[in-house]
């Protein structure tokens, strides 16, 4: 099967902990089984939810909205206030208490705003020419701090904002509760050159209402084809391929995996290759290097040898590489950006119709090229450690992602 044919088989919503995720899991496992491979799943519990519905109404006029995940059933009424920049909530304390706030942007997180401003609900406005984005509240946010929040299409917001100052009604219907999600794990044993373990990872879940074709069925099928390649061409070193679930809800699958396999990660894992975003028919190929400048040069050189021109960025990447950064394990994150598929990211328009075989091919070839060289090198070629420019960014990201202080297990840079 081609990359695009595999992607079409995953062209449906795959929200973690739902029937759609289970269906996606079965599709991936079925393909791997057809190759004679033996994947297995690792389950973990999450605070899950169904996509749900939301309605905003003013008198006899109503608009459909997209509820944040974990809102649950809720119904509120209040005066509509339009604040283009929601930071005004902090600059005018108490002025908007009891209101429902329609906003376009903010420099603050909604959790910070909600802690200071006693508003009844937030209505976020999606970007122009797009359907409404899907978001979710964080997993470990206390239940009494979860507030009604929805996203609204830009064109709907243009109409709604004209009703500022009037009483509006917001209703959210959404089942939520404990759900079980699944990571898919496949081991491809090497010939025993050494004990190093390389991870190839990517998430197969999607946000609510989205088919997640480019984000990240595209990356998932690159992993499926890599499994096929290395099953036929056994590498010198061990390779483990992991399709994570729950990435879209806060890297839940990769955090669960890292916690369950900490001892092995610390002792054996030398590199994570993460594939997240692929499929755009016209786009820009990028490798985000979380590691050293030496690793950046090494990866870029390997790709250019094969005629693959990827923009190189020494930077963090908001994806399943992050839980491994706690242990100072470098990662190469492959992505294709800038096309029509990614224009519709996290909306119901991210479908296979906006992806092509051409948009998948180079990302897969880059995946295969890097792993082929690393797994078969005489000595493991990846330099350890992070560039100092990344450390503060990693710590800040982990704080914001988990809403908890990260327990970093980095080596001391200097010893007296």
């Amino acid at each position: 099967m081609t990359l695009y044919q595999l992607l079409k088989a995953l062209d449906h919503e795959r929200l973690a902990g739902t029937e759609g995720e289970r269906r996606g899991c079965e599709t991936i496992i079925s393909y791997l089984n057809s190759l004679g491979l033996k994947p297995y799943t690792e389950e973990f519990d999450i605070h899950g939810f169904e996509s749900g519905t939301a309605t905003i109404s003013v008198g006899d006029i109503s608009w459909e909205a997209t509820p944040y995940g974990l809102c649950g059933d809720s119904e509120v009424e209040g005066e509509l206030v339009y604040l283009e920049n929601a930071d005004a909530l902090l600059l005018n304390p108490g002025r908007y208490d009891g209101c429902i706030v329609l906003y376009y942007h903010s420099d603050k997180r909604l959790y910070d705003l909600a802690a200071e401003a006693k508003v009844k609900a937030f209505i976020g406005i999606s970007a122009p020419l797009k359907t409404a984005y899907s978001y979710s509240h964080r997993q470990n946010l206390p239940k009494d701090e979860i507030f009604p929040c929805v996203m609204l299409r830009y064109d709907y917001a243009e109409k709604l904002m004209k009703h500022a100052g009037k009483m509006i009604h917001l209703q959210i219907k959404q089942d939520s509760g404990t759900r079980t999600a699944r990571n898919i794990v496949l081991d491809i044993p090497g010939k025993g050159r050494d004990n190093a373990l390389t991870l190839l990872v990517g998430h197969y879940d999607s946000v609510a209402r989205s088919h997640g074709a480019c984000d990240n069925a595209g990356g998932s099928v690159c992993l499926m084809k890599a499994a096929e390649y290395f099953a036929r061409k056994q590498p010198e070193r061990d390779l483990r391929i992991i399709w994570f679930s729950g990435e879209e809800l806060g890297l839940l699958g990769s955090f669960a995996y890292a916690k369950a396999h900490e001892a092995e990660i610390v002792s054996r894992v030398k590199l994570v290759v993460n594939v997240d975003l692929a499929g755009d028919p016209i786009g820009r190929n990028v490798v985000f290097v979380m590691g050293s400048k030496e690793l950046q040069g090494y990866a870029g050189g390997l790709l250019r040898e094969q005629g693959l021109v990827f923009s190189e960025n020494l930077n963090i990447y908001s994806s399943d590489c992050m839980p491994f950064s706690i242990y100072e394990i470098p990662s190469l994150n492959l992505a294709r950006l800038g096309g029509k598929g990614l224009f519709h990211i996290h909306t119901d328009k991210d479908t296979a119709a906006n992806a092509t075989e051409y948009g998948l091919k180079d990302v897969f070839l880059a995946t295969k090229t890097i792993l082929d060289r690393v797994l078969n090198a005489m000595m493991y070629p990846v330099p350890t450690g992070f560039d100092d420019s990344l450390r503060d960014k990693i710590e800040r990201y982990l704080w914001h992602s988990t809403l908890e202080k990260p327990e970093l297990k980095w080596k001391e840079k200097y010893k007296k």
Side-chain angles (χ1 to χ4, degrees):
M1 295 179 72
T2 66
L3 290 158
Y4 186 70
Q5 287 172 332
L6 290 173
L7 185 142
K8 288 186 70 174
L10 292 171
D11 192 23
H12 57 85
E13 181 186 311
R14 302 178 304 282
L15 179 62
T18 67
E19 174 62 21
E21 182 226 52
R22 184 197 62 77
R23 179 180 162 196
C25 177
E26 290 180 351
T27 297
I28 294 170
I29 288 177
S30 177
Y31 183 75
L32 298 174
N33 287 340
S34 74
L35 302 174
L37 300 174
K38 296 181 179 179
Y40 56 94
T41 60
E42 293 185 354
E43 297 183 345
F44 57 98
D45 289 336
I46 64 172
H47 300 303
F49 57 93
E50 301 298 323
S51 297
T53 61
T55 304
I56 301 166
S57 57
V58 182
D60 296 332
I61 309 170
S62 63
W63 297 272
E64 179 186 356
T66 298
Y68 268 46
L70 297 181
C71 278
D73 291 340
S74 54
E75 191 168 0
V76 295
E77 285 189 338
E79 179 186 344
L80 176 66
V81 171
Y82 172 61
L83 300 175
E84 191 165 274
N85 186 338
D87 290 357
L89 292 169
L90 303 181
L91 302 175
N92 296 105
R95 180 176 177 181
Y96 306 108
D97 287 359
C99 295
I100 296 175
V101 174
L102 173 70
Y103 73 100
Y104 188 46
H105 60 88
S106 172
D107 292 328
K108 305 293 184 182
R109 287 176 165 261
L110 288 185
Y111 310 111
D112 298 327
L113 295 176
E116 299 291 336
K118 298 177 181 179
V119 301
K120 287 188 174 180
F122 288 94
I123 303 173
I125 304 172
S126 289
L129 307 179
K130 298 185 181 185
T131 52
Y133 292 117
S134 288
Y135 292 116
S136 175
H137 288 297
R138 283 287 182 250
Q139 291 282 299
N140 54 0
L141 196 67
K143 190 171 183 180
D144 60 356
E145 294 183 22
I146 292 178
F147 42 87
C149 191
V150 300
M151 293 300 296
L152 187 66
R153 285 173 45 159
Y154 186 97
D155 54 338
Y156 292 174
E158 286 184 294
K159 298 174 181 177
L160 178 61
M161 65 186 288
K162 296 176 183 178
H163 296 275
K166 297 179 181 179
M167 296 296 291
I168 71 167
H169 182 264
L170 171 64
Q171 184 177 45
I172 298 173
K173 294 182 178 180
Q174 183 186 71
D175 291 331
S176 61
T178 301
R179 303 281 194 274
T180 299
R182 306 162 187 82
N183 292 332
I184 306 167
V185 184
L186 174 68
D187 281 309
I188 298 184
K191 297 178 182 178
R193 174 153 291 171
D194 55 37
N195 194 42
L197 176 61
T198 303
L199 301 183
L200 170 61
V201 307
H203 73 92
Y204 74 98
D205 66 307
S206 72
V207 299
R209 292 176 185 75
S210 177
H211 288 194
C214 289
D215 181 22
N216 186 38
S220 297
V221 301
C222 290
L223 269 60
M224 294 162 75
K225 277 296 186 180
E228 181 176 353
Y229 175 81
F230 287 106
R232 294 174 177 173
K233 185 180 179 183
Q234 185 183 17
E236 293 292 331
R237 292 183 175 86
D238 292 348
L239 171 66
R240 180 170 296 159
I241 305 177
I242 311 171
W243 291 260
F244 288 122
S245 184
E247 191 266 3
E248 298 289 11
L249 301 182
L251 315 183
L252 304 185
S254 47
F255 271 118
Y257 179 88
K259 182 178 180 180
H261 297 269
E262 182 176 19
E264 183 182 41
I265 289 169
V266 172
S267 64
R268 294 190 63 201
V269 176
K270 304 302 180 186
L271 174 68
V272 175
V273 177
N274 175 48
V275 188
D276 187 4
L277 305 180
D280 276 327
I282 298 174
R284 179 168 62 93
N285 295 321
V286 183
V287 54
F288 290 89
V289 181
M290 273 184 56
S292 63
K293 293 176 181 176
E294 291 85 354
L295 178 58
Q296 180 181 359
Y298 177 74
L302 288 182
L303 297 176
R304 288 191 293 274
E305 279 185 4
Q306 299 300 316
L308 297 167
V309 182
F310 275 61
S311 299
E312 302 161 24
N313 286 279
L314 186 67
N315 208 341
I316 68 171
Y317 192 60
S318 178
S319 187
D320 287 311
C321 55
M322 296 304 300
F324 301 95
S325 69
I326 292 171
Y327 309 101
E328 207 169 6
I329 295 172
S331 63
L332 295 172
N333 302 277
L334 300 169
R336 184 168 172 83
L337 312 173
K340 63 181 181 179
L342 265 294
F343 176 80
H344 294 294
I345 189 172
H346 289 188
T347 76
D348 58 7
K349 301 298 184 185
D350 182 9
T351 66
N354 289 322
T356 65
E357 180 76 15
Y358 176 82
L360 298 164
K361 177 175 63 69
D362 280 358
V363 178
F364 165 66
L365 291 176
T367 304
K368 179 170 72 72
T369 294
I370 291 170
L371 289 172
D372 222 355
R373 184 65 70 90
V374 169
L375 294 173
N376 294 302
M378 292 301 297
M379 295 183 179
Y380 205 87
V382 176
T384 60
F386 294 138
D387 190 85
D388 287 341
S389 66
L390 300 179
R391 294 178 182 273
D392 185 58
K393 293 179 180 179
I394 291 170
E395 187 171 7
R396 186 186 305 117
Y397 178 92
L398 292 171
W399 260 108
H400 288 168
S401 178
T402 64
L403 304 182
E404 295 176 342
K405 179 178 174 57
E407 295 185 13
L408 302 172
K409 303 179 186 299
W410 294 344
K411 296 178 183 177
E412 294 181 12
K413 185 176 182 182
Y414 305 108
K415 289 186 178 181
K416 294 182 179 180

